[in-house]
């Protein structure tokens, strides 16, 4: 007879169990991400509506406490958001249309100045500025050739935006029924746990939205003040664009800052445009190295390194939308994990205390 095989050491068995759990969780997460990508037209509006509900919840609750009927309060909140965002976009687009020719002319003059200082190196810049519109049209045609239909893409974006706005309305109006609906979907024994996890996840999302709004407000105020000092036209509208763009980490701030610099170049010249660029870069450094890590790590209770890695991972998975949704979704997952850990720790019996003889005494039975 063969001798029985000795069992694996306890550390090895624990490592194997944790590896199995990690593989199982990774597989579930991967399948979930693939499903979300396939059904992004429906999933993205739901996630955006949850972010909007977390941000607009205080306004809605203030209206309800003031005596406004729930449906009317939700409608007024959505109308206010559309008015603010639409007004900011209209002001900025109108400023760009009015100064579009001036921007092209300023680029041409700046290139000519560079050509005068740097000779042949500046000639190519002059040619680039002279043919800016032709180059942009060619680039647009090349980019559009890789898209099935530009109209369908625009229509999809508009449809998702409208759906997200409608979902915000329903989420706000029916927020008092959310707990009951959640409890009806889970077994009776898991109702308390599911409610606690949902509350922790939503609180994390609210923290992210509060932190992002605070950062966006600081960015918008700093850039607006800087543009007003430089006497750049449309400074308030450009500041509003900065505020809206700050909700898309990094890329939104870059695009809104580029618009501000172009407007300054068109109306105030090359030197003022350089000062405007300095203001934008200073604000971006302040946001990236101070505000973003400090405020977001406090509001969503994650380390700054985790915030930055999460944003990068979201961008690699879903582009701009992934950058917007990565941090709040990760914060929600952290909240759920913390709630489960707290409940698991509370369910464990306390360790036995050693008796007079040195042997552990059994803990008292629970009533």
């Amino acid at each position: 007879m063969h001798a029985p095989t000795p069992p694996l050491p306890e550390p090895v068995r624990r490592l194997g169990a944790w590896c199995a759990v990690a593989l199982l969780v990774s597989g579930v997460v991967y399948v979930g991400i693939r499903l979300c990508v396939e059904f992004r037209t429906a999933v993205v509006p739901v996630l955006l509506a949850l972010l909007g509900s977390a941000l607009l919840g205080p306004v809605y609750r203030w209206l309800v406490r003031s005596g406004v009927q729930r449906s009317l309060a939700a409608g007024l909140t959505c109308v206010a958001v559309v008015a603010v965002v639409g007004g900011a976009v209209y002001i900025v687009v109108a400023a760009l249309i009015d100064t579009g020719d001036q921007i092209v002319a300023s680029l041409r003059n700046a290139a000519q100045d560079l050509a005068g200082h740097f000779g042949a190196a500046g000639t190519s810049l002059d040619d680039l500025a002279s043919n800016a519109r032709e180059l942009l049209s060619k680039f647009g045609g090349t980019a559009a050739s890789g898209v099935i239909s530009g109209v369908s893409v625009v229509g999809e974006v508009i449809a998702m935006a409208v759906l997200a706005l409608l979902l915000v309305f329903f989420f706000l109006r029916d927020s008092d029924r959310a707990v009951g609906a959640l409890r009806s979907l889970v077994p009776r024994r898991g109702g308390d746990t599911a409610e606690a996890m949902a509350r922790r996840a939503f609180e994390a999302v609210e923290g992210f939205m509060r932190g992002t709004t605070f950062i966006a407000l600081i960015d918008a105020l700093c850039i607006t003040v800087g543009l007003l000092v430089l006497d750049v036209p449309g400074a308030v509208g450009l500041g509003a664009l900065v505020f809206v763009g700050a909700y898309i980490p990094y890329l939104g701030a870059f695009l809104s800052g580029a618009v501000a610099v172009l407007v300054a170049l068109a109306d105030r010249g090359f030197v003022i445009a350089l000062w405007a660029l300095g203001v934008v870069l200073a604000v971006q450094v302040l946001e990236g190295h101070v505000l973003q890590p400090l405020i977001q790590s406090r509001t969503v209770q994650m380390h700054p390194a985790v915030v930055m890695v999460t944003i990068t991972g979201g961008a690699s998975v879903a582009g701009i939308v992934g950058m917007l949704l990565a941090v709040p979704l990760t914060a929600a997952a952290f909240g759920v994990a913390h709630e489960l850990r707290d409940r698991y720790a509370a369910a464990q019996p306390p360790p036995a205390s050693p008796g007079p003889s040195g042997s552990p005494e059994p803990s008292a039975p629970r009533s």
Side-chain angles (χ1 to χ4, degrees):
M1 296 180 61
H2 296 284
T5 304
L8 293 175
E10 181 66 20
V12 176
R13 284 187 293 171
R14 289 186 176 182
L15 177 62
W18 280 110
C19 289
V21 171
L23 289 175
L24 179 61
V25 172
S26 301
V28 172
V29 170
Y30 176 78
V31 172
I33 291 176
R34 297 304 305 173
L35 289 176
C36 290
V37 171
E38 292 294 329
F39 298 100
R40 61 184 179 276
T41 307
V43 173
V44 171
V46 173
L47 296 178
L48 292 177
L50 288 174
L51 295 184
S53 301
L55 177 62
L56 302 173
V59 178
Y60 167 76
R61 290 190 290 268
W62 177 78
L63 290 174
V64 171
R65 287 195 301 267
S66 300
V68 181
Q69 197 265 344
R70 286 183 174 274
S71 297
L72 181 58
L76 290 175
T77 304
C78 294
V79 169
V81 172
V82 173
V84 171
V85 177
V89 172
Y90 173 78
I91 292 173
V92 174
V93 171
L96 289 179
I97 292 176
D98 293 339
T99 59
D101 294 335
Q102 297 179 16
I103 291 175
V104 176
S106 299
L107 289 174
R108 184 183 294 111
N109 294 333
Q112 290 175 351
D113 293 339
L114 290 176
H117 288 87
F118 298 102
T123 304
S124 60
L125 295 176
D126 189 14
D127 296 337
L128 178 62
S130 301
N131 302 293
R133 290 181 177 177
E134 182 180 356
L135 290 173
L136 287 175
S137 63
K138 289 181 179 180
F139 176 77
T142 304
S145 63
V147 182
I148 297 176
S149 174
V151 176
S152 64
V153 173
V154 174
E156 181 180 349
V157 172
I158 293 176
M160 288 193 297
V162 173
L163 179 58
L165 184 63
L166 293 175
L167 288 175
V168 168
F169 171 80
F170 289 116
F171 287 171
L172 291 175
R173 189 192 67 175
D174 301 328
S175 57
D176 58 325
R177 308 177 188 174
V179 175
L182 178 63
R183 284 182 171 273
S184 65
L185 296 176
V186 298
R188 182 174 301 177
R189 292 183 177 180
D192 293 339
T193 302
E195 179 183 350
M197 290 190 300
R199 289 186 184 277
R200 287 288 289 267
F202 193 74
E203 288 173 0
V205 175
E206 282 187 326
F208 166 79
M209 295 305 295
R210 286 197 303 268
T212 301
T213 303
F214 187 64
I215 293 173
L217 182 61
I218 294 177
D219 289 354
L221 288 176
C222 292
I223 290 182
T224 300
V225 171
L227 295 179
L228 287 174
V229 171
L230 296 174
D231 197 21
V232 176
V236 177
L238 294 173
L241 178 63
V242 171
F243 179 81
V244 175
Y247 285 94
I248 303 177
Y250 301 118
L251 183 60
F254 171 77
L255 293 178
S256 58
V259 171
V261 173
L262 287 177
V263 173
L265 178 65
D267 191 84
R268 300 284 292 152
F270 186 71
V271 176
I272 298 299
L274 287 179
W275 279 102
L277 178 61
V279 171
V280 171
L281 292 179
V283 173
Q284 298 309 314
V285 170
L286 176 65
E287 175 189 350
H289 293 81
V290 179
L291 297 178
Q292 190 82 24
L294 180 63
I295 295 177
Q296 289 290 33
S297 62
R298 290 177 180 272
T299 55
V300 301
Q301 298 180 354
M302 290 193 300
H303 193 273
V306 177
V307 173
M308 290 185 285
V309 171
T310 300
I311 292 175
T312 305
S316 64
V317 172
I320 297 176
V321 177
M323 295 173 68
L324 175 63
L325 299 176
V327 176
L329 291 180
T330 305
F334 271 55
V336 171
H338 290 161
E339 181 64 28
L340 289 176
R341 183 192 63 185
D342 295 342
R343 286 181 170 266
Y344 179 78
Q348 294 298 314
S353 57
S357 60
S359 59
E361 292 182 350
S363 58
R366 296 182 179 181
S367 56

